[in-house]
Amino acid sequence: MTNQVLIFDTTLRDGEQSPGATMTHAEKLEIAALLDEMGVDIIEAGFPIASEGDFAAVTEIAKNAKNSVICGLSRANFKDIDRCWEAVKHAKAPRIHTFIGTSPLHRAIPNLTQDEMAERIHDCVTHARNLCDNVQWSSMDATRTEEDFLCRTVEIAIKAGATTINIPDTVGYTAPRESADLIKMLIDRVPGADDVIFATHCHNDLGMATANSLAAVEGGARQIECTINGLGERAGNTALEEVVMALKVRNDIMPWSTKIDTTKIMNISRRVASVSGFAVQFNKAIVGKNAFAHESGIHQDGMLKNAETFEIMRPTDVGLSETNLVMGKHSGRAALRSKLEELGYDLGDNELMDVFVRFKELADRKKEVFEDDLIALMHSNATEDDTLQLKSLKVACGTEGPQTADMVMLVEGSEQSVSTTGDGPVDATFSAVKEIYPHRARLQLYQVHAVTEGTDAQATVSVRMEEDGRIATGQSSDTDTVVASAKAYINALNRLIVRRTKSEPGYDTKGVSYKDAG
C-alpha cells in the first residue's frame, strides 16, 4: 500500500468508443502529448488490432511519449496480444492490457465454462508477460461476477505474471460501498495480491463513477482508470478531472495523491471537447463553464468579501485565469501571444500568425473579444488540406416562403457554386452543401450555443453525421450562426471523407457516391 494513486487515462481508447467521438490520427497524437505533459501515469493509446488507423496511432504515440507508460488493449487471444505488442514495444515504458468478460452473462458470449476461461486467462497472460514486463489483466464485468470465480481468475492472472489487476464496473452497476468492499475482499483473499497493483475502471450509468472510483481507492486500489470530461460509451467513464481534484481538495479525508499537473486540466478538457465534438455541459464539475461562475446576489456578495465563501478551489488550480482580459482590434501579436499562453496555448511563430489573422477578422466583427472567443478561435477545425472548404455564403430569409442559400465552395480546390432553398436558413445551407457535394450521410445531431453574451456573440455549432456505420462530428464558431452551421457541417463531411475507404465500391477517388450523384 502506498499513498500514490496512478492515473490511467483511456480517453483515446474507451473515450473514443463514444458514438461520434472518433478522432483523427493527428488529434490522437496531440491529445496523447497533452496527457503525457500533464503527468498522466499510463495512457491507453488505443486498441491496436481494431484497425490499421488504431495501430498506427498507438505506434506513433508509443514512439513519442516522454514520461507516460503507453498501453494498448487486446482481447484474450494471442493474435490480439501480438498485435498490441507490435504497437507499444516502441515506448520507453510499454504495457499490454488484456481482458476477458468473467460474469455469467459475458462467459456465455464465447460459450466458455469456468475451467475453459481459467485456462485461457492463464495462457494469454503468460503469453503477454513473455513479451512485456508490464502486463495488465482485466476481468470485464467484474462487479457482476461471482466472488469465488473472480478470486480464482485474479489469482490465475497474478500467477501468470500480471502486474496490474483491473476490476472494471463495465456497465456502471455497482455502488460506492460495494466498490470498496470488492477491492478489499480481493486483496484479503487472493494469494499474491500484495505484489500487484489493483485498478478500478468505472462507468457512469447510474451517475456514481467518480464516487465508485474513490471508494475503490479507499478499499485498496491504487490505479484509477478515467477519461477527460468523463468521455466514454453510454453515460461515460470516470472523469479524470473529478477524481484528481477530489483527491487534491479533500486530501484531509482521502490521503492519497497523484502526479497530475492540475493547471493543465482546463486546456486539455477544451481540446478533447473540440476534437470529439462532445461539448462540456455548463454545470459540469471542475471544467464546466459555470463551475466558477456566480450570479446569485448572496453568492456574489460572499465572493467579493472572501472567495472561499463559495469556492472550494481556485480557478487557477485547474488552469483558469482569474482575470478576463478583453482583447480588441487594436491588440497586437505580443498581447495575443501573452493571452493565449495564459489560457494554456503555446504557439510557434507560424501558428501565432495564422491565429492572429483570424483574431483580427473576428475583432473587426466584435466590439470585444473575450477569453471564450479566443478558445473557440483556437479550436477552429478547418484546414487548407480539407477536401471541402466554404468560400462564401449568402442567405436570404423572409417571413413567407422558403429561405434561399447562395453558396460558393471549394471541392479539392475547384470552385463550385449553387443556389438552393430550404425550410429555414440552416436547412437551405445544408441543402446547398449536399448539392455541391452529393453524399448519403445523415445528420444525427445539430446543436448551437453562444460562446459569449450579447448580440455580437460567437455561436459554436456542433453536428454529428452518420454514413454507412461511420460517425463523425464537426464543430465551428462564428458570429453568424448560419456560417458556423455551414462550417461545422462541412467539417463533419471532411472527417467522413478521411475515414471512408477510397477503394470502396461505388465511390470515385474523391469520395463522391456515383449512386447519389445520379
Side-chain angles (χ1 to χ4, degrees):
M1 289 291 187
T2 70
N3 289 333
Q4 178 75 37
V5 173
L6 302 176
I7 297 299
F8 177 111
D9 185 276
T10 184
T11 302
L12 297 174
R13 201 277 301 170
D14 210 339
E16 204 209 10
Q17 289 178 198
S18 303
T22 304
M23 304 173 197
T24 65
H25 182 82
E27 288 166 348
K28 289 179 182 180
L29 299 188
E30 179 188 356
I31 298 301
L34 292 173
L35 292 170
D36 191 29
E37 185 182 327
M38 79 183 296
V40 166
D41 297 282
I42 306 103
I43 299 171
E44 188 163 54
F47 199 165
I49 205 165
S51 68
E52 289 299 322
D54 241 29
F55 179 82
V58 176
T59 301
E60 198 68 23
I61 290 168
K63 291 177 179 177
N64 294 339
K66 296 177 181 177
N67 306 302
S68 302
V69 172
I70 301 303
C71 175
L73 185 69
S74 66
R75 292 166 298 189
N77 64 68
F78 288 8
K79 184 179 179 181
D80 269 39
I81 293 168
D82 289 342
R83 187 66 166 164
C84 180
W85 174 242
E86 284 300 311
V88 302
K89 69 180 182 181
H90 306 281
K92 292 180 181 177
R95 174 183 291 190
I96 294 174
H97 178 192
T98 185
F99 73 96
I100 195 167
T102 56
S103 70
L105 286 167
H106 283 259
R107 290 200 300 270
I109 296 172
N111 195 26
L112 295 175
T113 65
Q114 289 189 1
D115 289 343
E116 289 170 335
M117 180 163 286
E119 183 179 358
R120 180 174 295 188
I121 292 167
H122 172 270
D123 292 346
C124 288
V125 174
T126 299
H127 182 67
R129 186 56 194 268
N130 286 336
L131 297 171
C132 182
D133 290 337
N134 191 339
V135 174
Q136 174 168 316
W137 177 75
S138 288
S139 168
M140 187 165 66
D141 204 21
T143 55
R144 295 193 295 174
T145 300
E146 308 95 317
E147 283 192 359
D148 287 346
F149 184 59
L150 183 60
C151 287
R152 179 186 176 190
T153 58
V154 169
E155 182 178 356
I156 289 169
I158 292 173
K159 287 182 176 178
T163 50
T164 299
I165 300 295
N166 182 36
I167 306 300
D169 184 28
T170 306
V171 293
Y173 177 74
T174 197
R177 183 177 296 175
E178 273 187 348
S179 182
D181 289 346
L182 182 59
I183 297 293
K184 189 175 185 304
M185 180 274 296
L186 290 169
I187 292 173
D188 289 343
R189 286 183 54 182
V190 176
D194 291 339
D195 299 324
V196 299
I197 292 172
F198 276 83
T200 181
H201 176 114
C202 299
H203 282 259
N204 205 38
D205 296 71
L206 293 176
M208 295 189 285
T210 295
N212 288 334
S213 295
L214 294 172
V217 171
E218 190 171 351
R222 289 297 178 266
Q223 176 178 296
I224 296 177
E225 306 205 350
C226 46
T227 61
I228 301 297
N229 298 339
L231 194 65
E233 291 185 278
R234 305 185 312 279
N237 290 52
T238 302
L240 178 148
E241 61 276 6
E242 292 178 14
V243 291
V244 167
M245 291 309 295
L247 291 173
K248 182 183 177 76
V249 174
R250 293 311 314 272
N251 196 245
D252 55 330
I253 61 170
M254 294 182 285
W256 303 288
S257 62
T258 73
K259 295 193 303 182
I260 298 298
D261 180 352
T262 63
T263 64
K264 300 184 183 300
I265 284 176
M266 193 59 70
N267 180 37
I268 194 169
S269 167
R270 290 165 174 161
R271 194 63 190 124
V272 168
S274 176
V275 302
S276 67
F278 282 56
V280 176
Q281 68 192 57
F282 280 17
N283 62 335
K284 166 76 173 66
I286 315 300
V287 293
K289 186 175 181 180
N290 290 349
F292 295 94
H294 306 272
E295 186 170 329
S296 159
I298 295 174
H299 283 226
Q300 289 176 343
D301 181 62
M303 286 295 297
L304 289 170
K305 292 173 180 174
N306 184 348
E308 292 183 6
T309 307
F310 289 105
E311 284 187 354
I312 60 173
M313 299 167 280
R314 293 173 300 175
T316 51
D317 289 342
V318 297
L320 276 175
S321 171
E322 290 185 300
T323 58
N324 192 356
L325 177 65
V326 178
M327 305 286 288
K329 63 181 180 180
H330 299 298
S331 300
R333 280 189 292 271
L336 179 62
R337 182 192 290 275
S338 175
K339 187 59 185 174
L340 290 173
E341 286 177 351
E342 231 177 79
L343 295 172
Y345 300 101
D346 185 14
L347 303 184
D349 291 340
N350 290 338
E351 288 178 298
L352 178 65
M353 196 59 187
D354 174 62
V355 174
F356 185 67
V357 170
R358 290 187 284 127
F359 161 72
K360 284 292 189 178
E361 291 173 354
L362 177 62
D364 282 336
R365 287 179 281 149
K366 293 198 65 181
K367 294 178 182 177
E368 299 174 326
V369 179
F370 295 92
E371 287 183 354
D372 286 338
D373 291 312
L374 292 175
I375 292 165
L377 196 67
M378 287 299 299
H379 295 166
S380 174
N381 288 315
T383 70
E384 293 181 358
D385 296 329
D386 286 341
T387 300
L388 311 176
Q389 298 177 53
L390 179 67
K391 186 171 183 182
S392 68
L393 175 64
K394 182 179 180 181
V395 177
C397 299
T399 56
E400 297 180 3
Q403 278 67 45
T404 303
D406 297 320
M407 177 179 287
V408 179
M409 199 164 78
L410 297 177
V411 181
E412 290 199 338
S414 175
E415 188 173 299
Q416 298 187 36
S417 60
V418 71
S419 180
T420 58
T421 59
D423 185 16
V426 174
D427 183 54
T429 298
F430 288 179
S431 294
V433 174
K434 191 165 186 177
E435 187 161 326
I436 290 176
Y437 185 80
H439 60 85
R440 54 172 182 255
R442 295 185 303 107
L443 183 66
Q444 291 189 325
L445 171 73
Y446 173 76
Q447 182 175 285
V448 183
H449 74 268
V451 173
T452 51
E453 291 72 31
T455 55
D456 64 349
Q458 281 199 98
T460 291
V461 177
S462 299
V463 302
R464 183 184 304 158
M465 302 180 72
E466 183 273 333
E467 179 190 63
D468 298 334
R470 290 181 291 269
I471 298 175
T473 57
Q475 190 178 74
S476 189
S477 300
D478 198 276
T479 52
D480 187 319
T481 304
V482 180
V483 171
S485 301
K487 289 178 178 178
Y489 189 84
I490 290 169
N491 179 249
L493 277 178
N494 279 318
R495 285 172 170 241
L496 282 174
I497 291 168
V498 170
R499 290 167 195 157
R500 186 187 293 155
T501 304
K502 289 188 176 182
S503 61
E504 184 178 341
Y507 286 93
D508 66 12
T509 57
K510 294 182 180 180
V512 178
S513 166
Y514 297 137
K515 178 181 178 182
D516 289 338

